[in-house]
Amino acid sequence: MPIVVVHSNPLFWVRLCALVFSCVAFAVTVHGANLSHGTGDWCVFCWAFSFAGTLLVLLVELFGLQTRAPVSWKNFPITFACYASLLCLSASIIFPLYFLKGQTYRSETQNYRIVATVFSCLATIAYICEVSISKARPGEVAGYMATAPGLLKVCETFVACVIFVFISDPVSYDSHDALRWCLAVFCICFILSAAIIVLCICECTGCLPFPFARFLSAYAVLAVAMYLSATIIWPIFKFDKKHGGSSRPYGCGRYAGLCDWDRQMAVAVLTAVNLVLYLADLIYSARLVFVTV
């Protein structure tokens, strides 16, 4: 018979706050935000997914079922918290951009949307606090996902997913072979980073036919080189008129959401962001000597 263990540590209360904030955000949105755009469904998914995952983590912790979980409990909670913080952060940016931008009149629907945005921001802060409390300290033996390189892997995969959204609607990589190379960079690095996360959460790193630490270092070097090329190539073929690029159209950004040109600029910026993340990953991976997975 499982025994419920009530925790009084800060991590428990931070998770409880994240649970409440994410629940309020999607409940208020579903109840009265009157969503008319598919982007709103994404925001609701972000809040509902974060709520469900946090509820699962809390239940496992309360009933002391960590040893029975099919995943590594050293790696799973902080990995989920990091993804939840990024999801709620994206919803906190996207939701007002599509549903509050340009509205000058007050209504009950707008009030619901404001409340949802506020609680989405609060949920983001709560999840960031959870990650900060859970991450490994210097000299501490912890799971790989609790270290800086592990958390960077989460950020890298999330940024890549956002890039995929921007380049697929509308399709913006089929006009030149150089842009197809950029797509290959995004896909290869995303797949490898996601595979590393899955291996750590499932505690399967020991099954690899080569040392995991050496693989991480080699992959970090490869990813930095590939993203460096994409960071240079994408702006050249999207914004340089000599290579078929264009300048920002007049009226772009006057309406809710992002125009096509802004989406391509977002891809360029996010590619540079991922380059910085992979560079930091390379530096940390080279110094990481105290982690067990």
Side-chain angles (χ1 to χ4, degrees):
M1 184 69 181
I3 300 176
V4 178
V5 180
V6 179
H7 298 274
S8 59
N9 58 67
L11 186 58
F12 170 79
W13 294 109
V14 167
R15 285 174 176 162
L16 188 61
C17 289
L19 181 77
V20 173
F21 294 152
S22 57
C23 179
V24 172
F26 82 78
V28 167
T29 303
V30 171
H31 177 70
N34 191 23
L35 303 181
S36 57
H37 193 279
T39 308
D41 296 334
W42 163 254
C43 295
V44 172
F45 166 78
C46 292
W47 300 322
F49 178 80
S50 301
F51 167 80
T54 304
L55 180 61
L56 175 63
V57 171
L58 282 174
L59 290 176
V60 171
E61 294 278 353
L62 287 173
F63 286 97
L65 302 175
Q66 297 92 324
T67 57
R68 299 184 181 182
V71 295
S72 169
W73 210 251
K74 295 183 298 181
N75 291 305
F76 176 76
I78 190 170
T79 303
F80 175 80
C82 191
Y83 273 120
S85 65
L86 293 170
L87 287 170
C88 290
L89 176 61
S90 67
S92 300
I93 297 173
I94 294 173
F95 192 78
L97 186 64
Y98 279 87
F99 298 101
L100 290 177
K101 179 183 176 182
Q103 295 190 11
T104 57
Y105 62 92
R106 293 298 298 272
S107 64
E108 185 178 1
T109 297
Q110 188 181 30
N111 291 336
Y112 279 113
R113 293 175 177 178
I114 293 173
V115 171
T117 302
V118 170
F119 275 92
S120 179
C121 294
L122 292 175
T124 302
I125 295 172
Y127 282 116
I128 291 175
C129 291
E130 180 181 347
V131 172
S132 178
I133 294 173
S134 303
K135 70 177 183 179
R137 302 298 187 267
E140 179 183 354
V141 177
Y144 177 77
M145 297 308 300
T147 64
L151 296 175
L152 285 170
K153 293 289 189 303
V154 174
C155 296
E156 291 157 7
T157 55
F158 184 83
V159 172
C161 288
V162 178
I163 291 175
F164 291 144
V165 172
F166 283 143
I167 66 176
S168 60
D169 183 24
V171 175
S172 55
Y173 52 81
D174 58 351
S175 59
H176 199 281
D177 289 339
L179 297 177
R180 295 188 183 94
W181 162 252
C182 293
L183 175 65
V185 170
F186 303 147
C187 292
I188 292 171
C189 293
F190 170 79
I191 291 172
L192 291 176
S193 293
I196 291 172
I197 294 173
V198 172
L199 287 173
C200 291
I201 291 178
C202 297
E203 295 187 318
C204 297
T205 56
C207 301
L208 297 176
F210 40 78
F212 185 58
R214 291 185 180 180
F215 168 70
L216 292 176
S217 299
Y219 166 57
V221 173
L222 175 65
V224 168
M226 294 178 70
Y227 258 95
L228 178 60
S229 66
T231 302
I232 297 172
I233 292 172
W234 186 269
I236 290 177
F237 286 89
K238 280 298 177 181
F239 308 121
D240 189 347
K241 295 182 179 179
K242 295 180 181 179
H243 296 85
S246 62
S247 57
R248 194 169 191 262
Y250 175 78
C252 188
R254 295 177 58 185
Y255 306 100
L258 299 175
C259 65
D260 292 345
W261 192 93
D262 286 346
R263 287 172 176 265
Q264 307 317 313
M265 178 58 71
V267 172
V269 173
L270 291 173
T271 303
V273 168
N274 244 2
L275 172 62
V276 174
L277 292 176
Y278 277 108
L279 184 60
D281 192 354
L282 174 61
I283 295 172
Y284 276 110
S285 295
R287 298 170 54 189
L288 191 61
V289 294
F290 60 90
V291 176
T292 59
V293 292

